Amino acid sequence: MKHLLLITNLILFQYISLAQGVISPELIKKMNELQRDEYIPIVIHINDNFDLLELKQEFRDNNTVVKERASIICKKMQNISDSTQEEILQIINNRHDYKKLKTSWIINAIFLEAKQALIKELSNHPDIQLLQIQDTQPDIIDYIDNNSEHTLPVENGTEPGIEAINVRPLWEMGYTGKGILVFNYDTGVWPQHPAFSDRFFANLYPMAQSWDGYFSEIPNGEISDHGTHTLGTMAGLVVETNDTIGIAFNAYWIANDFVTSSVETLPPIADMITSFEWALNPDGDLSTYHDVPDVINNSWRWYNEMDTFQCAGYAVELMNVIEAAGIANIFSAGNNGPNNTGVRSPQRINTNLVNTFCVGSINANNDDLLISTFSCRGPTQCPGEGSLSIYPEVVAPGQSIRSAWGTNEFNTISGTSMASPHVSGAVLLLKEAFPFLTGEEILLALYNTANDLGDIGEDNTYGMGIIDAYAAFNYLANTHTPVPPNLITNDLHLNNITNIPNEIHCAPTFNPVLTLSNNTDSIINQIKIYYKDYSNNTDEDSIIVTTNINPYESVNVELLNITIGNFGDKEYMFRIAAINPLVENDYHNNQRMVRFKYKPSFDLPFIENFQSGILDINWHIENDDY
């Protein structure tokens, strides 16, 4: 018995020694519980000299353009992760006792499942800061269905929740979110919904820059209508009936489908992190930044025990990077109130007053503005005193909210998921007025000007109170000059492209007709038309066309015999520009995308060997109901 005890103590001493280095206590415990040949999901945190706070200060000192900050961060962090991860990845790849390897540059970490021998070898590497168990998983989205019937648009409607956050004065000034971009991190979106279909970025840019699909390469809301509903509150307007369900109804949008309604189908945390990486550089080109979102709306959470886990570590690092990039990162507070015993992650992170800006729900359908019973209460478990311990930051309407549903309907549901889009929408309006300010600065304005509710002062039910968009505007205008909403009236617009292939096209060429609008006070004599086949990543081509478009008139221009390359999915971009440089109020609407499948004809008899499967090059597969 003494010999057995000695062996056990030696094993434990080995792990304890490692713990004093880089293996976390939780991982040591797991290693002692499992057999040596079992796989353990771990996160490898890499040592580096990157100081994000120092970079933020450099941005402030140098007055770095907000949109450019994401590209600078991407370049620096990608270079650092490439150099610091290379040797560690070589060690891992030379072995066979691991699986599910995934790297991340945004937090400089490696995710994998490893056996204990590999974990112990890695613990001796001088560039590894920490080996931690992966015990974080996403939580399902939840909302309260009001059991209302799905409805059609309301003539001249404006939702009471929108009125409650005082955005109408900004509308009357002319601020509508024009040219501003929101990323809806949610369950996906039905892009054809009339409340926002014309402002999907994929109408203007390649799909890969506009939709980060995890479950589907084709944008849709098949997982849940939840994402369609949240987007509607941020940016929804049905023009035909003037039904204003959204706040920034001229904003552009991009989306993903990383959030689900069942635990079994949720993506791993490592994959969810990649969508934040995508958001910092959707087009993969660090020399551009038109595609970086101004706001990320997060109506989801990670599922963790109610403790202090993720009050430090990669989740905090991730949120800090998004903030440093100048993006407003907004979260719903959660629906586990009123007697919740803590706050989920990443909502509980409190790096500063507005990092992971969390929004509780109130009922704005009457004047009392009472807190919703389900709204999560504070304090946060993460260390901090005063305002840093209080949760949520603010509240917004989240009870009985009518918004978009399905492909063309509307529904009334409740949840803090419905509250956070009200804040995101307000940020979009303020960002149009103050495009030179960071998301952090705008969120601080909303935080400091919120109207107090509940107990006097900031509290763990209402936070600072209900946001007031107009008060935040005036707060910012005291120290910054807002950009007038119609400062630049010129706009060259590619309205539409017709005479384009149907979904399946068999001919080797096509002849698109471009409808161009000259929204300036001068005659435009010539237009340069650019076009590019993104599916084959060809070089951009161009042609100069004599047009003589009178001020505020439109013309049609036909391009003859655009040659189609290889067969399969095609994605063409057409872009217009004046020969003489023109300062415009919206450069996004100068281009349009055309998508179809090119399926050339085959001579008969046609023979296919199905024994080896259906070859996608010869067959078109329809799966409209997913």
Side-chain angles (χ1 to χ4, degrees), residues 160-348:
I162 296 175
E163 299 287 7
I165 63 171
N166 201 21
V167 300
R168 187 167 290 279
L170 297 182
W171 290 349
E172 292 171 350
M173 294 165 67
Y175 296 109
T176 59
K178 186 174 179 61
I180 311 301
L181 180 63
V182 62
F183 174 30
N184 197 30
Y185 197 126
D186 214 299
T187 62
V189 174
W190 292 112
Q192 62 269 53
H193 198 287
F196 42 66
S197 60
D198 61 333
R199 285 169 285 111
F200 184 23
F201 232 36
N203 298 335
L204 316 173
Y205 295 96
M207 188 62 71
Q209 301 176 25
S210 312
W211 168 257
D212 190 23
Y214 184 83
F215 295 99
S216 174
E217 295 180 358
I218 302 170
N220 65 78
E222 178 62 24
I223 293 173
S224 168
D225 290 309
H226 183 276
T228 301
H229 195 280
T230 55
L231 180 61
T233 299
M234 289 185 279
L237 170 67
V238 182
V239 175
E240 290 181 356
T241 58
N242 195 34
D243 185 8
T244 311
I245 58 170
I247 296 159
F249 47 78
N250 274 323
Y252 291 110
W253 61 273
I254 57 178
N256 72 3
D257 65 347
F258 277 60
V259 186
T260 69
S261 55
S262 64
V263 173
E264 294 76 19
T265 58
L266 287 166
I269 291 295
D271 288 323
M272 296 192 76
I273 290 172
T274 65
S275 204
F276 284 101
E277 293 182 340
W278 174 83
L280 292 185
N281 187 22
D283 67 354
D285 184 352
L286 292 178
S287 67
T288 66
Y289 44 86
H290 66 274
D291 52 339
V292 178
D294 301 286
V295 177
I296 302 178
N297 186 78
N298 305 269
S299 289
W300 56 273
R301 61 190 182 185
W302 286 328
Y303 185 88
N304 299 103
E305 296 302 320
M306 295 298 188
D307 55 21
T308 57
F309 179 66
Q310 286 195 347
C311 289
Y314 65 83
V316 176
E317 294 169 14
L318 175 64
M319 298 301 130
N320 289 345
V321 171
I322 300 302
E323 181 180 81
I327 300 170
N329 204 19
I330 299 159
F331 282 82
S332 58
N335 297 341
N336 51 332
N339 299 315
N340 54 287
T341 57
V343 178
R344 300 291 189 195
S345 177
Q347 281 85 338
R348 61 177 171 234

Side-chain angles (χ1 to χ4, degrees), residues 35-299:
Q35 299 296 320
R36 289 179 175 272
D37 61 349
E38 291 187 70
Y39 288 99
I40 303 174
I42 64 169
V43 186
I44 304 172
H45 299 266
I46 315 297
N47 277 314
D48 60 51
N49 296 318
F50 181 63
D51 189 332
L52 189 64
L53 291 178
E54 183 179 302
L55 182 61
K56 277 185 68 177
Q57 188 59 49
E58 284 182 23
F59 288 156
R60 286 191 287 265
D61 293 343
N62 298 332
N63 243 348
T64 306
V65 175
V66 173
K67 281 279 194 176
E68 292 182 9
R69 299 183 186 191
S71 294
I72 295 171
I73 287 174
C74 287
K75 186 174 183 179
K76 285 181 177 290
M77 300 188 78
Q78 286 171 5
N79 289 338
I80 289 170
S81 65
D82 286 345
S83 61
T84 57
Q85 292 182 18
E86 182 179 8
E87 186 176 302
I88 297 167
L89 289 171
Q90 285 178 353
I91 294 172
I92 296 171
N93 289 322
N94 286 336
R95 301 178 61 109
H96 302 285
D97 48 357
Y98 75 93
K99 59 183 181 180
K100 297 184 179 179
L101 175 69
K102 196 171 192 70
T103 63
S104 171
W105 57 261
I106 199 169
I107 56 172
N108 199 9
I110 301 171
F111 294 79
L112 76 160
E113 293 183 13
K115 293 183 179 180
Q116 295 191 27
L118 175 56
I119 294 173
K120 285 185 281 185
E121 180 179 349
L122 292 171
S123 70
N124 295 315
H125 197 286
D127 291 338
I128 292 181
Q129 181 182 53
L130 178 67
L131 293 168
Q132 187 179 30
I133 190 168
Q134 285 188 54
D135 56 357
T136 299
Q137 66 182 37
D139 201 2
I140 61 174
I141 58 100
D142 53 351
Y143 60 87
I144 295 123
D145 194 332
N146 292 47
N147 296 316
S148 60
E149 293 185 3
H150 298 175
T151 59
L152 296 174
V154 174
E155 192 82 23
N156 297 317
T158 303
E159 293 306 296
I162 296 175
E163 299 287 7
I165 63 171
N166 201 21
V167 300
R168 187 167 290 279
L170 297 182
W171 290 349
E172 292 171 350
M173 294 165 67
Y175 296 109
T176 59
K178 186 174 179 61
I180 311 301
L181 180 63
V182 62
F183 174 30
N184 197 30
Y185 197 126
D186 214 299
T187 62
V189 174
W190 292 112
Q192 62 269 53
H193 198 287
F196 42 66
S197 60
D198 61 333
R199 285 169 285 111
F200 184 23
F201 232 36
N203 298 335
L204 316 173
Y205 295 96
M207 188 62 71
Q209 301 176 25
S210 312
W211 168 257
D212 190 23
Y214 184 83
F215 295 99
S216 174
E217 295 180 358
I218 302 170
N220 65 78
E222 178 62 24
I223 293 173
S224 168
D225 290 309
H226 183 276
T228 301
H229 195 280
T230 55
L231 180 61
T233 299
M234 289 185 279
L237 170 67
V238 182
V239 175
E240 290 181 356
T241 58
N242 195 34
D243 185 8
T244 311
I245 58 170
I247 296 159
F249 47 78
N250 274 323
Y252 291 110
W253 61 273
I254 57 178
N256 72 3
D257 65 347
F258 277 60
V259 186
T260 69
S261 55
S262 64
V263 173
E264 294 76 19
T265 58
L266 287 166
I269 291 295
D271 288 323
M272 296 192 76
I273 290 172
T274 65
S275 204
F276 284 101
E277 293 182 340
W278 174 83
L280 292 185
N281 187 22
D283 67 354
D285 184 352
L286 292 178
S287 67
T288 66
Y289 44 86
H290 66 274
D291 52 339
V292 178
D294 301 286
V295 177
I296 302 178
N297 186 78
N298 305 269
S299 289

Side-chain angles (χ1 to χ4, degrees), residues 358-398:
C358 296
V359 187
S361 169
I362 52 107
N363 184 357
N365 295 293
N366 54 58
D367 294 336
D368 295 333
L369 301 179
L370 295 176
I371 194 73
S372 302
T373 304
F374 53 78
S375 189
C376 185
R377 273 69 163 174
T380 174
Q381 306 92 282
C382 291
E385 297 180 355
S387 294
L388 286 179
S389 70
I390 294 177
Y391 182 89
E393 273 67 66
V394 296
V395 291

